[in-house]
Amino acid sequence: MDVTHIIESLNDAQRQAVTAPSQSMLVLAGAGSGKTRVLVHRIAWMIKTQDLSPQSILAVTFTNKAAAEMRGRIETLLDHPVQGMWVGTFHGLAHRLLRRHAHEAGLPEAFQVIDSDDQLRMIKRLLKALALDEARWPPRQVQGYINAQKEEGRRAQHIAESGDLYQRQMLTLYREYEQICVRSGLVDFAELLLRVHELLRDNEQLLQFYKQRFLHVHVDEFQDTNTIQYAWLRLLTEGKNNLFVVGDDDQSIYGWRGAKIENIFSFQSDYPNHLVVRLEQNYRSTANILNAANALIANNQGRMGKELWTDDSDGEPISLYAAFNEQDEAYFVVERIKKWVELGGLRSEAAILYRSNVQSRLFEERLMSGGIPYRVYGGLRFFERAEIKNALAYLHLIANANNDAAFERVINIPNRGIGPKTIEDLRSVARDERISLWQAASKVVTSGAVTARTVRVLNSFIDVINNVVEQAEGLALYEKVQQVVEHTGLIDFHKKEKGEKGEARVENLQELVNAARQFDYEEDNAEGLNELDLFLAHAALESGETQGDQYDDCVQLMTLHSAKGLEFKLVFIVGVEEGLFPSPRSIEDPGRLEEERRLCYVGITRAMQILYLSYAESRRIYGRDTYPTCSRFIKEIPSEQIQEIRMGATISRPVSVAKSGRSSRLQKTAFQLGQRVSHAKFGEGVVLQVEGEGAQERVQVNFTAVGMKWLMLAYAKLEAIA
Ligand code: ATP
Ligand code: MG
C-alpha cells in the first residue's frame, strides 16, 4: 500500500508524530507549526496503514468550520469519502450522541437545544417568577453560575448548601432552572456536555460499545478543553492508551468559559505511556510577524516554554495605525483591503479581527457602502437576529408546543393584544400545575376564569399555531418555513415597519426560507430526527459559519476568539486599546490579563504575510465617548518590528498657513486655520491644522477644555463660531 504521499510533505518531527505506533500522544507546539496538519495526516495514516474503517475514528475540533475542513483534508489524503467518521465539535458530537440515546439519557425524543441567548431569557423569566430583583441577581451572573456548575459536572442536587445567602440563592435558581428545562424538554449548551458525560458514565454497556467503536480519539486545540469535556474523553479512552491530543498552552483563551489548561498535566499523568512531540518550525508567518508574537508572549509567566522559528523571510514590518476615532479606523481598514484586492489579492484572504462583537458594525457598514462582500462569523449571526429567532420560535412550537421559551417569545409577536398581565397569569398557572405555558393557555381559555377578551386574544394565538401545524403537515421543510413566516403574520408585521430595517427583516425571513431549502438533510446522519427538528438543532448549534454562502470570496470578520486555528494572508487586529484589548475587567486581574495576552498572540499568529494593528484616539462604544490609549500589547512588541503609519502617502501632509501659505487649498475647506469652532462633546477650540481631502479631511483643534484633538470633518460635526 502506498502511503508515502501522506508523509512526504512533513518535517521530521511531524513525521514522527504521524507515524508513531498506536499510543497516546501529546503534540505540544506553538502557533502555525503544523499541529492541525499532523492531526489530519495522523488520521489518514492510521486508516491506511491499519486498514481501519473510518467509523473507528473520532476527531474533535473547535469549530464547525474546522471540522468540515478536517474532513475534507482527510478525504483528499485518502482519495475517497470517509462516511461514518465522527468529526465535529464537542457540542456537535454530544448532540449526536444524545439524539441517538435520548431515552437512556433521560431526555424526551424531541428535546430541543437552546442557545445562550434563549437560556438568558429563561433565567430572566425565572427571576421574575420568583420575584427576585435583576439588579441584585444579574441574569448573566446566574447564567454564569449555572454553566460553571455544569462544566464542572455538578447538578444542583450535588451541591451542598452553605450558610452563604448568595450561594443558597444561586443554588435555588439552578434547581428551578433545571426543572423548567426538564419540563420543556430543553437542553442548553453546557447541558449537552454534562448529559453525555452522565450517559456514558452511568451506562456501562453503551460506554463499552463506543469504547470499542472508537479505536482512535483525536483532539485539536486541547488546551481549551474544560473539565467535563476532558472527563468525557477520559471515559472513552480509559485503559486504551489511544488519545491523541494537540495543543498550545500559549493559545489557551477560554479560561473564562471553564477551559482548564491543567488538562494538559492531567493528560500526562492519566496516560503514562504517552509520547510527547514538539514542533518548532512555524510555516505560517513571516519572521517579523513571528518575532512580534514571540516577544509579546514572553511577557507571560509560567509558560510551558516552546521554541518557534521560521525560515521564511522577514516580510513587511507590522503596521500600526493610530486612528482619530473608530470611524476613521474602519475607513482606513477598508481602504487597505480595497488596495489589497486591486493588487490581485482575494477578499477571503483578508480578515478583520476584533476583541468584542460590537466592533463589527462599523466595518460592516464601511464594507457595505464600498460594495465589498464580507462575512461575519459568530456574533450577530444570521440565526441570532431577532426576526429569525421569532420565526424559529414558531417553528419550535410546531415541533413541540410545550416549548416555553418559544411560546413566550412569540405569543405577542406580532401584536395580538396579549399583555404582560395575561402572560404573567399563564406563568403562574403553569408553575402551580407544573404544566407548560401552552397547556396553561389551553386550560385558561376554557376555564371561565378570565375575561372574554382574554379568551379571544389567547385563542387567536392558539389558532395560529394549530393552523400552521395543520397546513404544514406533509410539506417539505422550506414550505413549512414559508408557512410560518407568511401565516403567523411575521412578514406583514415587518413590512409595516418603517425604513430599511423592516425591509432587511423581511429579506432575512425570506433568506430563512432559502436556508431551509438549502439545508442538507442526510437521513443517515440524522439520528432518527425529522428534518424540521434537525434544522432547528442546526440553527441553535450553528455558529454562523456557513451563513449566506452567496459569495465565496468575501472579507472575513470575526472575534479574536473565533479566529483560533485559522490563517489569513492579510490580518487587521483592530481596537488594540487599553480597556478594549486588554478588556477592562482583565486589567486588574493578572490571570485574566495573561489570557488576554494569549488572545493577542493568537491574533498575531493568524497572519501569514501582512499584519496591521490599529487603535483609535477617541472611540464611541457602548453609547459612551472614550479616549483610549494604545494597548500595552503594542508596547510589548519590539519597535524594530513595527512601522507607524499616519494617514498614508496618498494624502497631503499637514499644512499650516503660516508656513505653507497654501491658502487656495484651504479655502476649499469650511474651516480656516485659526478659526474658532465648537464641538458637541469637546466644547470650544481653535483650528490649528487641516489635512487630507474629501471624506478624509481632518482638522487639528486645540480645545479649551480637553486640549489637542484630531477630528475627521466628515464625522465631527464641527460648527464655526464667530
Ligand atoms: P495553530 O496553532 O494556529 O492551530 P497549527 O500548529 O495547527 O496552528 P497548521 O494550521 O497545521 O498549524 O499549519 C500552519 C500552516 O503551515 C498551514 O498552512 C500548513 O499547511 C503549513 N505547514 C505545516 N507544516 C508544514 C510542512 N511540513 N510543510 C509545509 N507547510 C506546512
Ligand atoms: Mg491548528
Side-chain angles (χ1 to χ4, degrees):
M1 190 187 337
D2 186 19
V3 287
T4 46
H5 71 284
I6 297 179
I7 48 171
E8 66 194 359
S9 63
L10 301 174
N11 67 29
D12 288 347
Q14 292 173 333
R15 193 171 299 174
Q16 184 205 0
V18 167
T19 59
S22 296
Q23 67 185 315
S24 291
M25 208 183 309
L26 167 64
V27 179
L28 187 65
S33 58
K35 294 182 297 298
T36 303
R37 186 179 173 108
V38 160
L39 195 141
V40 165
H41 286 245
R42 170 76 171 176
I43 291 173
W45 174 264
M46 287 312 226
I47 291 179
K48 268 277 198 253
T49 56
Q50 299 192 355
D51 199 18
L52 299 179
S53 150
Q55 289 223 7
S56 55
I57 302 290
L58 176 66
V60 193
T61 69
F62 218 75
T63 60
N64 294 326
K65 185 180 161 95
E69 254 169 43
M70 185 174 283
R71 178 181 292 274
R73 284 159 71 180
I74 297 169
E75 287 179 349
T76 310
L77 280 175
L78 291 175
D79 207 19
H80 61 74
V82 283
Q83 260 141 16
M85 186 163 76
W86 282 35
V87 187
T89 61
F90 277 106
H91 289 108
L93 294 166
H95 176 245
R96 189 166 185 177
L97 278 166
L98 291 179
R99 284 294 171 202
R100 284 202 159 179
H101 307 290
H103 181 66
E104 291 96 321
L107 289 171
E109 293 287 333
F111 77 85
Q112 285 166 21
V113 182
I114 55 170
D115 63 21
S116 64
D117 192 41
D118 294 326
Q119 185 187 33
L120 192 65
R121 278 165 190 274
M122 279 178 60
I123 289 167
K124 285 185 178 165
R125 282 195 299 273
L126 179 61
L127 289 167
K128 223 166 175 194
L130 298 178
L132 291 172
D133 182 6
E134 279 196 15
R136 176 110 200 266
W137 308 101
R140 278 192 193 279
Q141 228 173 60
V142 179
Q143 182 178 34
Y145 175 87
I146 292 175
N147 290 342
Q149 298 307 321
K150 291 189 180 194
E151 272 148 18
E152 290 297 317
R154 285 191 292 267
R155 294 272 175 212
Q157 78 209 48
H158 299 141
I159 306 171
E161 256 188 33
S162 72
D164 177 9
L165 171 71
Y166 175 84
Q167 192 263 1
R168 268 207 319 264
Q169 188 63 69
M170 286 291 173
L171 190 53
T172 308
L173 286 164
Y174 183 15
R175 200 178 298 124
E176 293 277 332
Y177 170 81
E178 271 184 333
Q179 281 178 10
I180 302 175
C181 288
V182 168
R183 204 158 62 231
S184 332
L186 302 178
V187 173
D188 61 48
F189 286 170
E191 181 73 22
L192 283 170
L193 303 173
L194 178 55
R195 274 286 161 149
V196 148
H197 180 251
E198 291 170 347
L199 170 73
L200 294 178
R201 184 195 61 196
D202 303 338
N203 204 316
E204 187 58 27
Q205 236 182 335
L206 219 90
L207 177 62
Q208 288 312 327
F209 172 82
Y210 283 107
K211 270 182 102 160
Q212 275 158 28
R213 169 177 172 158
F214 297 128
L215 298 178
H216 300 284
V217 179
H218 309 80
V219 187
D220 199 356
E221 309 278 4
F222 182 68
Q223 75 280 357
D224 274 326
T225 49
N226 65 25
T227 302
I228 198 82
Q229 290 165 341
Y230 182 67
W232 179 70
L233 292 169
R234 186 84 191 111
L235 279 175
L236 282 174
T237 56
E238 199 166 352
K240 291 187 67 192
N241 201 25
N242 61 344
L243 181 58
F244 184 103
V245 303
V246 311
D248 176 6
D249 56 307
D250 287 333
Q251 294 187 70
S252 156
I253 54 175
Y254 280 97
W256 55 284
R257 232 169 56 182
K260 291 267 150 54
I261 185 79
E262 296 85 343
N263 285 342
I264 295 184
F265 306 120
S266 306
F267 172 91
Q268 294 188 304
S269 61
D270 289 340
Y271 300 85
N273 298 318
H274 69 273
L275 181 71
V276 178
V277 176
R278 289 175 179 269
L279 309 175
E280 297 184 340
Q281 181 170 1
N282 171 296
Y283 289 91
R284 180 180 291 147
S285 310
T286 63
N288 268 326
I289 293 171
L290 191 64
N291 291 339
N294 283 342
L296 173 90
I297 200 66
N299 290 283
N300 271 6
Q301 311 289 319
R303 301 168 56 215
M304 288 180 177
K306 292 182 301 292
E307 297 295 320
L308 205 52
W309 57 275
T310 175
D311 66 8
D312 197 357
S313 61
D314 284 353
E316 298 200 17
I318 294 162
S319 300
L320 174 64
Y321 181 62
F324 332 123
N325 61 15
E326 74 281 9
Q327 306 269 2
D328 176 38
E329 182 183 46
Y331 182 85
F332 171 81
V333 168
V334 172
E335 287 304 303
R336 295 287 151 145
I337 291 176
K338 280 187 191 156
K339 209 171 264 170
W340 169 262
V341 174
E342 271 165 32
L343 293 173
L346 292 175
R347 290 186 285 260
S348 58
E349 290 166 342
I352 306 175
L353 310 181
Y354 35 82
R355 177 64 183 87
S356 159
N357 272 314
V358 297
Q359 290 169 260
S360 79
R361 192 182 53 83
L362 282 173
F363 295 95
E364 291 190 61
E365 282 172 9
R366 275 281 164 203
L367 288 162
M368 221 176 317
S369 62
I372 304 172
Y374 65 89
R375 186 180 304 159
V376 186
Y377 291 82
L380 238 207
R381 55 215 199 199
F382 183 70
F383 286 114
E384 277 186 356
R385 302 203 167 128
E387 65 278 13
I388 298 300
K389 293 201 79 167
N390 292 340
L392 290 172
Y394 274 108
L395 285 165
H396 271 293
L397 286 175
I398 291 174
N400 166 19
N402 296 324
N403 183 328
D404 283 353
F407 183 97
E408 281 214 23
R409 186 172 177 105
V410 291
I411 180 166
N412 201 35
I413 295 180
N415 192 340
R416 305 185 167 86
I418 302 178
K421 166 83 176 61
T422 307
I423 299 175
E424 200 51 62
D425 291 346
L426 290 180
R427 277 195 210 119
S428 92
V429 173
R431 260 179 77 71
D432 291 349
E433 309 205 9
R434 308 223 152 246
I435 54 179
S436 71
L437 289 168
W438 172 258
Q439 289 160 335
S442 312
K443 196 161 175 162
V444 163
V445 292
T446 54
S447 67
V450 292
T451 64
R453 185 184 168 278
T454 304
V455 170
R456 184 164 44 78
V457 290
L458 280 180
N459 267 332
S460 74
F461 179 63
I462 295 174
D463 289 347
V464 165
I465 300 295
N466 284 338
N467 279 340
V468 179
V469 168
E470 205 171 291
Q471 292 182 10
E473 177 83 38
L475 294 183
L477 175 66
Y478 81 90
E479 293 169 318
K480 285 187 181 151
V481 179
Q482 207 158 16
Q483 281 282 336
V484 159
V485 299
E486 282 169 12
H487 296 291
T488 56
L490 281 180
I491 288 241
D492 286 341
F493 172 63
H494 292 302
K495 271 189 183 153
K496 282 189 211 128
E497 259 179 308
K498 283 201 202 81
E500 274 188 38
K501 213 169 204 168
E503 257 170 61
R505 294 199 158 136
V506 171
E507 278 170 21
N508 282 338
L509 287 172
Q510 283 153 349
E511 184 58 31
L512 183 66
V513 178
N514 280 341
R517 201 194 290 262
Q518 286 158 5
F519 182 62
D520 220 354
Y521 178 68
E522 287 171 41
E523 211 164 352
D524 288 354
N525 285 330
E527 308 301 347
L529 220 57
N530 70 37
E531 202 174 1
L532 175 58
D533 285 334
L534 197 68
F535 181 67
L536 289 169
H538 160 82
L541 286 168
E542 176 58 58
S543 48
E545 289 159 4
T546 57
Q547 67 177 322
D549 266 334
Q550 219 173 341
Y551 303 98
D552 283 336
D553 184 24
C554 39
V555 175
Q556 316 276 304
L557 271 68
M558 66 194 82
T559 61
L560 286 146
H561 279 98
S562 29
K564 197 160 77 138
L566 306 179
E567 59 189 23
F568 309 93
K569 285 191 179 154
L570 171 64
V571 169
F572 298 85
I573 305 180
V574 298
V576 192
E577 293 151 22
E578 286 293 297
L580 184 54
F581 189 31
S583 73
R585 278 200 284 170
S586 67
I587 287 177
E588 263 114 62
D589 175 341
R592 280 192 183 207
L593 185 65
E594 294 215 337
E595 181 150 310
E596 292 285 300
R597 191 176 282 112
R598 291 193 292 268
L599 187 59
C600 190
Y601 174 80
V602 167
I604 293 175
T605 54
R606 297 312 94 198
M608 300 164 82
Q609 294 174 359
I610 299 178
L611 174 64
Y612 283 92
L613 305 176
S614 61
Y615 66 97
E617 289 166 351
S618 104
R619 176 181 299 278
R620 192 167 175 81
I621 190 166
Y622 306 118
R624 282 183 297 118
D625 285 315
T626 60
Y627 306 98
T629 55
C630 126
S631 168
R632 72 190 71 195
F633 298 151
I634 290 176
K635 297 179 187 145
E636 289 170 5
I637 298 173
S639 54
E640 58 272 24
Q641 255 100 42
I642 293 196
Q643 80 180 356
E644 236 182 292
I645 22 180
R646 278 280 159 180
M647 243 348 187
T650 56
I651 298 156
S652 48
R653 70 191 164 76
V655 285
S656 94
V657 157
K659 282 187 193 151
S660 74
R662 286 174 60 195
S663 52
S664 65
R665 196 189 77 78
L666 290 168
Q667 242 108 59
K668 276 188 269 156
T669 173
F671 299 105
Q672 300 284 340
L673 301 191
Q675 166 83 53
R676 283 192 67 73
V677 290
S678 132
H679 180 268
K681 176 86 196 171
F682 302 127
E684 290 187 11
V686 177
V687 175
L688 294 186
Q689 292 194 66
V690 183
E691 176 183 309
E693 265 153 356
Q696 292 187 351
E697 190 168 3
R698 61 177 189 154
V699 294
Q700 189 185 39
V701 181
N702 189 10
F703 288 102
T704 319
V706 295
M708 303 275 236
K709 291 276 167 207
W710 277 103
L711 300 167
M712 290 292 271
L713 277 185
Y715 306 112
K717 298 217 179 74
L718 275 184
E719 270 175 35
I721 46 179

